[in-house]
Amino acid sequence: QVQLVESGGGSVQAGGSLRLSCAASEYSYMYIGWFRQAPGKEREGVAGIYSGGGATRYADSVKGRFTISQDDAKTTVSLEMNSLIAEDTAMYYCAAGLASGDRWANRWANRDEYDNWGQGTQVTVSS
């Protein structure tokens, strides 16, 4: 079972940038997703990447500001976050799943499609 460890969170002023990393113990998944959860809110999908072909997906709220990528070994997935706003403040989690590409394409932001989760890293954006 793949283990995931997030890093890179921190505190930043609005307009700033952060780069989160998700380190996987092995390449035994089909896709990785980044989710976030703010206090009192549901956990929501932010970005996802299908490891086989590199296809990516983004939530509308982060399109144009966040970029998800993976390294050549496919054991580290990064989330580059630019132009951060206060509404981006949340605990960020990465998660891994095994479903097919067609299923992932339509359900990448659904928490139920992910089998393994990291412990999370906190991102705080001050305005």
Side-chain angles (χ1 to χ4, degrees):
Q1 197 172 26
V2 62
Q3 296 182 344
L4 305 171
V5 178
E6 303 95 335
S7 62
S11 297
V12 64
Q13 290 191 331
S17 300
L18 282 174
R19 185 180 180 89
L20 306 183
S21 292
C22 173
S25 58
E26 59 187 22
Y27 178 39
S28 59
Y29 52 85
M30 297 301 289
Y31 49 85
I32 292 279
W34 279 99
F35 289 74
R36 67 185 181 187
Q37 188 167 18
K41 293 189 176 182
E42 293 286 322
R43 191 171 298 190
E44 62 174 352
V46 174
I49 187 165
Y50 198 82
S51 297
T56 58
R57 295 288 187 275
Y58 296 94
D60 288 343
S61 59
V62 306
K63 278 181 182 176
R65 300 188 299 122
F66 290 12
T67 303
I68 189 171
S69 62
Q70 62 183 3
D71 68 348
D72 290 341
K74 300 179 181 177
T75 54
T76 299
V77 173
S78 299
L79 185 68
E80 183 75 29
M81 307 187 296
N82 298 315
S83 302
L84 286 162
I85 59 178
E87 289 75 14
D88 294 321
T89 295
M91 184 71 79
Y92 283 71
Y93 301 87
C94 67
L98 294 169
S100 68
D102 289 344
R103 184 177 177 91
W104 170 83
N106 294 315
R107 295 175 60 83
W108 71 270
N110 190 312
R111 294 171 53 183
D112 294 340
E113 299 299 324
Y114 294 82
D115 307 292
N116 303 101
W117 292 79
Q119 294 300 306
T121 185
Q122 177 69 38
V123 171
T124 303
V125 183
S126 57
S127 55

